[in-house]
Coordinates of all heavy atoms in Angstrom, one line a residue:
Q8 N -2.3 7.0 2.3 CA -2.2 8.3 3.1 C -0.8 8.5 3.6 O -0.1 7.5 3.8 CB -3.2 8.2 4.2 CG -4.6 8.3 3.8 CD -5.5 8.3 5.1 OE1 -6.1 7.2 5.4 NE2 -5.7 9.4 5.7
R13 N -4.5 10.7 9.9 CA -5.5 10.0 10.6 C -6.2 9.0 9.7 O -6.4 9.3 8.5 CB -6.6 11.1 11.1 CG -6.1 11.9 12.2 CD -7.1 12.9 12.6 NE -7.5 13.8 11.5 CZ -8.6 14.6 11.5 NH1 -9.4 14.6 12.5 NH2 -8.8 15.3 10.4
P14 N -6.6 7.8 10.2 CA -7.3 6.9 9.4 C -8.6 7.5 8.9 O -9.2 8.3 9.6 CB -7.5 5.7 10.3 CG -7.2 6.1 11.7 CD -6.4 7.4 11.6
R15 N -9.1 7.0 7.8 CA -10.3 7.5 7.2 C -11.5 6.7 7.6 O -11.4 5.5 7.9 CB -10.2 7.6 5.7 CG -9.1 8.5 5.2 CD -9.6 9.2 3.9 NE -8.5 10.1 3.4 CZ -7.7 9.7 2.4 NH1 -7.9 8.5 1.8 NH2 -6.8 10.5 1.9
V16 N -12.6 7.5 7.6 CA -13.9 6.9 7.9 C -14.9 7.3 6.8 O -14.8 8.5 6.3 CB -14.5 7.4 9.2 CG1 -16.0 7.5 9.3 CG2 -14.0 6.6 10.4
L17 N -15.7 6.4 6.3 CA -16.8 6.8 5.4 C -18.1 6.2 5.9 O -18.1 5.0 6.3 CB -16.6 6.4 3.9 CG -17.8 6.7 3.1 CD1 -17.6 7.7 2.0 CD2 -18.6 5.5 2.7
S18 N -19.2 6.9 5.8 CA -20.5 6.3 6.0 C -21.5 7.0 5.2 O -21.3 8.1 4.7 CB -20.9 6.2 7.5 OG -21.9 5.2 7.6
G19 N -22.7 6.4 5.0 CA -23.7 7.0 4.2 C -25.1 6.7 4.7 O -25.3 5.8 5.5
A35 N -26.1 4.9 13.9 CA -25.1 5.4 13.0 C -24.7 6.9 13.3 O -23.5 7.2 13.7 CB -25.5 5.3 11.6
N38 N -22.5 8.2 16.1 CA -21.1 7.7 15.9 C -20.3 8.5 14.9 O -19.1 8.7 15.0 CB -21.2 6.2 15.6 CG -20.1 5.4 16.1 OD1 -19.3 6.0 16.9 ND2 -19.9 4.2 15.7
W39 N -21.1 8.9 13.8 CA -20.4 9.8 12.8 C -19.8 11.0 13.5 O -18.7 11.4 13.2 CB -21.4 10.2 11.8 CG -22.1 9.2 10.9 CD1 -22.1 7.8 11.1 CD2 -22.8 9.5 9.7 NE1 -22.8 7.3 10.0 CE2 -23.2 8.2 9.2 CE3 -23.1 10.6 9.0 CZ2 -23.9 8.1 8.0 CZ3 -23.8 10.5 7.8 CH2 -24.2 9.3 7.3
A41 N -19.1 11.4 16.8 CA -18.0 11.1 17.7 C -16.7 10.8 17.0 O -15.6 11.2 17.4 CB -18.4 9.9 18.5
M42 N -16.8 10.2 15.8 CA -15.5 9.8 15.1 C -14.8 11.0 14.4 O -13.7 10.8 14.0 CB -15.9 8.7 14.1 CG -16.3 7.4 14.8 SD -16.6 6.1 13.6 CE -15.1 5.2 13.6
Q43 N -15.4 12.1 14.4 CA -14.8 13.3 13.8 C -13.5 13.7 14.5 O -12.6 14.3 13.9 CB -15.7 14.5 13.8 CG -16.9 14.3 13.0 CD -17.8 15.6 13.0 OE1 -17.9 16.2 12.0 NE2 -18.4 15.8 14.1
D45 N -11.1 11.7 15.9 CA -9.9 10.8 15.7 C -9.7 10.4 14.3 O -8.7 9.7 14.0 CB -10.0 9.6 16.6 CG -10.1 10.0 18.1 OD1 -9.4 11.0 18.4 OD2 -10.9 9.4 18.8
Y46 N -10.6 10.7 13.4 CA -10.5 10.2 12.0 C -10.7 11.3 11.0 O -11.2 12.4 11.3 CB -11.6 9.1 11.7 CG -11.5 7.9 12.5 CD1 -12.0 7.8 13.8 CD2 -10.9 6.7 12.1 CE1 -12.0 6.7 14.6 CE2 -10.8 5.6 12.8 CZ -11.3 5.5 14.1 OH -11.2 4.4 14.8
E47 N -10.2 11.0 9.8 CA -10.6 12.0 8.7 C -11.9 11.4 8.1 O -11.9 10.3 7.6 CB -9.5 11.9 7.6 CG -9.6 13.0 6.6 CD -8.6 12.8 5.5 OE1 -7.6 12.1 5.6 OE2 -8.8 13.5 4.4
T48 N -13.0 12.2 8.2 CA -14.3 11.7 8.0 C -15.0 12.2 6.8 O -14.9 13.3 6.4 CB -15.2 12.0 9.3 OG1 -14.9 13.4 9.7 CG2 -14.9 11.1 10.4
F49 N -15.6 11.2 6.1 CA -16.4 11.5 4.9 C -17.8 10.9 5.1 O -18.0 9.7 5.4 CB -15.7 10.7 3.7 CG -14.4 11.3 3.3 CD1 -13.3 10.9 4.0 CD2 -14.2 12.2 2.3 CE1 -12.0 11.3 3.7 CE2 -13.0 12.7 2.0 CZ -11.8 12.3 2.7
Y50 N -18.8 11.8 4.9 CA -20.2 11.3 5.1 C -21.0 11.7 3.9 O -21.0 12.9 3.5 CB -20.7 11.9 6.4 CG -20.0 11.5 7.7 CD1 -19.5 12.4 8.6 CD2 -19.8 10.1 7.9 CE1 -18.8 12.0 9.7 CE2 -19.1 9.7 9.0 CZ -18.6 10.6 9.9 OH -17.9 10.2 11.0
Q144 N -22.4 0.3 -2.7 CA -22.0 0.6 -1.3 C -20.5 0.3 -1.1 O -19.8 1.1 -0.5 CB -22.9 -0.1 -0.3 CG -22.5 0.2 1.1 CD -23.6 -0.3 2.1 OE1 -24.7 -0.7 1.7 NE2 -23.2 -0.3 3.4
A145 N -20.0 -0.8 -1.6 CA -18.6 -1.1 -1.5 C -17.8 0.0 -2.2 O -16.7 0.4 -1.6 CB -18.3 -2.5 -2.1
D147 N -18.6 3.1 -2.5 CA -18.6 4.3 -1.7 C -17.5 4.3 -0.7 O -16.8 5.3 -0.4 CB -19.9 4.4 -0.9 CG -21.2 4.4 -1.7 OD1 -21.1 4.8 -2.9 OD2 -22.3 4.0 -1.2
I148 N -17.3 3.1 -0.1 CA -16.3 2.9 1.0 C -14.9 2.9 0.5 O -14.0 3.6 1.0 CB -16.7 1.6 1.8 CG1 -18.1 1.8 2.4 CG2 -15.6 1.3 2.9 CD1 -18.7 0.4 2.9
L149 N -14.7 2.1 -0.6 CA -13.3 1.8 -1.0 C -12.7 3.1 -1.7 O -11.5 3.3 -1.7 CB -13.3 0.6 -2.0 CG -13.8 -0.7 -1.3 CD1 -13.7 -1.9 -2.3 CD2 -13.0 -1.0 -0.1
L150 N -13.6 3.9 -2.3 CA -13.1 5.1 -3.0 C -12.3 6.0 -2.0 O -11.4 6.7 -2.4 CB -14.2 6.0 -3.4 CG -14.7 5.8 -4.9 CD1 -15.9 6.8 -5.1 CD2 -13.6 6.1 -5.9
Y151 N -12.7 6.0 -0.7 CA -12.0 6.9 0.3 C -11.0 6.2 1.1 O -10.4 6.7 2.0 CB -13.1 7.5 1.1 CG -14.0 8.3 0.2 CD1 -15.2 7.8 -0.3 CD2 -13.7 9.6 -0.2 CE1 -16.0 8.4 -1.2 CE2 -14.4 10.3 -1.1 CZ -15.6 9.7 -1.6 OH -16.3 10.4 -2.5
Q152 N -10.7 4.9 0.8 CA -9.7 4.1 1.5 C -10.0 4.2 3.0 O -9.2 4.3 3.9 CB -8.3 4.7 1.3 CG -7.9 4.9 -0.1 CD -7.6 3.6 -0.8 OE1 -7.7 2.5 -0.3 NE2 -7.3 3.6 -2.1
A153 N -11.3 4.0 3.3 CA -11.8 4.1 4.6 C -11.4 2.8 5.4 O -11.4 1.7 4.9 CB -13.3 4.2 4.7
A154 N -10.9 3.1 6.6 CA -10.5 2.0 7.5 C -11.7 1.5 8.4 O -11.8 0.3 8.7 CB -9.3 2.4 8.4
E155 N -12.5 2.5 8.7 CA -13.7 2.1 9.5 C -15.0 2.7 8.9 O -15.0 3.8 8.3 CB -13.5 2.8 10.9 CG -12.2 2.6 11.6 CD -12.3 1.4 12.6 OE1 -13.5 1.0 13.0 OE2 -11.3 0.9 13.0
V156 N -16.1 2.0 9.1 CA -17.3 2.4 8.6 C -18.4 2.3 9.7 O -18.8 1.2 10.1 CB -17.8 1.4 7.4 CG1 -19.0 1.9 6.7 CG2 -16.6 1.3 6.4
P157 N -18.8 3.5 10.3 CA -19.8 3.4 11.4 C -21.2 3.2 10.8 O -21.7 4.0 10.1 CB -19.6 4.8 12.0 CG -19.0 5.7 10.9 CD -18.2 4.8 10.0
V158 N -21.7 2.1 11.2 CA -23.1 1.7 10.7 C -23.8 0.9 11.8 O -23.2 0.4 12.8 CB -23.0 0.7 9.5 CG1 -22.7 1.5 8.2 CG2 -22.0 -0.4 9.7
G159 N -25.1 0.7 11.6 CA -25.9 -0.2 12.5 C -25.7 -1.6 12.1 O -25.1 -1.9 11.0
R163 N -23.9 -5.1 8.4 CA -22.7 -6.0 8.5 C -22.4 -6.8 7.3 O -21.3 -7.0 6.8 CB -22.8 -6.9 9.7 CG -22.3 -6.4 11.0 CD -22.1 -7.5 12.0 NE -22.0 -7.0 13.3 CZ -20.9 -6.5 13.9 NH1 -19.8 -6.4 13.2 NH2 -21.0 -6.0 15.1
L166 N -20.8 -4.9 4.6 CA -19.4 -4.7 4.9 C -18.5 -5.9 4.7 O -17.3 -5.7 4.2 CB -19.2 -4.2 6.4 CG -19.1 -2.7 6.6 CD1 -17.8 -2.2 6.0 CD2 -20.3 -2.0 6.0
T169 N -17.9 -5.9 1.0 CA -16.9 -4.8 0.7 C -15.5 -5.3 1.0 O -14.5 -5.1 0.2 CB -17.2 -3.6 1.6 OG1 -18.5 -3.2 1.4 CG2 -16.3 -2.4 1.2
R170 N -15.3 -6.0 2.1 CA -14.0 -6.5 2.5 C -13.5 -7.5 1.5 O -12.4 -7.5 1.0 CB -14.0 -7.1 3.9 CG -14.1 -6.1 5.0 CD -14.4 -6.8 6.3 NE -13.3 -7.7 6.7 CZ -12.2 -7.4 7.3 NH1 -12.0 -6.1 7.5 NH2 -11.3 -8.2 7.6
V185 N -7.5 -0.1 0.9 CA -7.5 -0.4 2.4 C -8.7 -1.3 2.6 O -9.8 -1.1 2.0 CB -7.7 0.9 3.2 CG1 -8.0 0.6 4.7 CG2 -6.5 1.8 3.1
V186 N -8.5 -2.4 3.4 CA -9.6 -3.3 3.6 C -10.4 -2.8 4.9 O -9.8 -2.7 6.0 CB -9.1 -4.7 3.9 CG1 -10.3 -5.7 4.1 CG2 -8.3 -5.2 2.6
P187 N -11.6 -2.3 4.7 CA -12.3 -1.6 5.8 C -13.0 -2.5 6.8 O -13.2 -3.7 6.5 CB -13.4 -0.8 5.1 CG -13.7 -1.7 3.9 CD -12.5 -2.4 3.5
K188 N -13.2 -2.0 8.0 CA -14.0 -2.7 9.1 C -15.3 -2.0 9.4 O -15.3 -0.8 9.4 CB -13.1 -2.7 10.4 CG -12.0 -3.7 10.4 CD -11.6 -4.1 11.8 CE -11.0 -3.0 12.6 NZ -9.5 -2.9 12.5
A189 N -16.3 -2.8 9.7 CA -17.5 -2.2 10.2 C -17.3 -1.7 11.7 O -16.6 -2.4 12.4 CB -18.6 -3.2 10.3
H190 N -17.8 -0.5 12.0 CA -17.7 0.0 13.3 C -19.1 0.1 13.9 O -19.8 1.0 13.7 CB -17.0 1.4 13.3 CG -16.7 2.0 14.6 ND1 -15.4 2.1 15.0 CD2 -17.4 2.4 15.6 CE1 -15.4 2.7 16.2 NE2 -16.6 2.9 16.6
V191 N -19.5 -1.0 14.6 CA -20.8 -1.1 15.1 C -20.8 -0.9 16.6 O -20.1 -1.6 17.3 CB -21.5 -2.5 14.8 CG1 -22.9 -2.6 15.3 CG2 -21.4 -2.7 13.3
L192 N -21.6 0.1 17.1 CA -21.6 0.4 18.5 C -22.2 -0.8 19.3 O -23.1 -1.5 18.8 CB -22.5 1.6 18.8 CG -21.9 3.0 18.4 CD1 -22.9 4.1 18.6 CD2 -20.6 3.2 19.2

Side-chain angles (χ1 to χ4, degrees):
Q8 290 182 260
R13 287 179 301 165
R15 294 219 182 99
V16 150
L17 174 120
S18 199
N38 213 9
W39 294 16
M42 291 181 97
Q43 296 180 110
D45 301 320
Y46 296 85
E47 186 184 349
T48 39
F49 294 81
Y50 297 126
Q144 179 166 349
D147 300 339
I148 298 165
L149 300 181
L150 265 182
Y151 298 92
Q152 307 290 358
E155 306 266 344
V156 186
V158 282
R163 268 197 201 277
L166 260 295
T169 306
R170 289 170 60 81
V185 169
V186 180
K188 280 204 292 272
H190 186 110
V191 180
L192 288 176

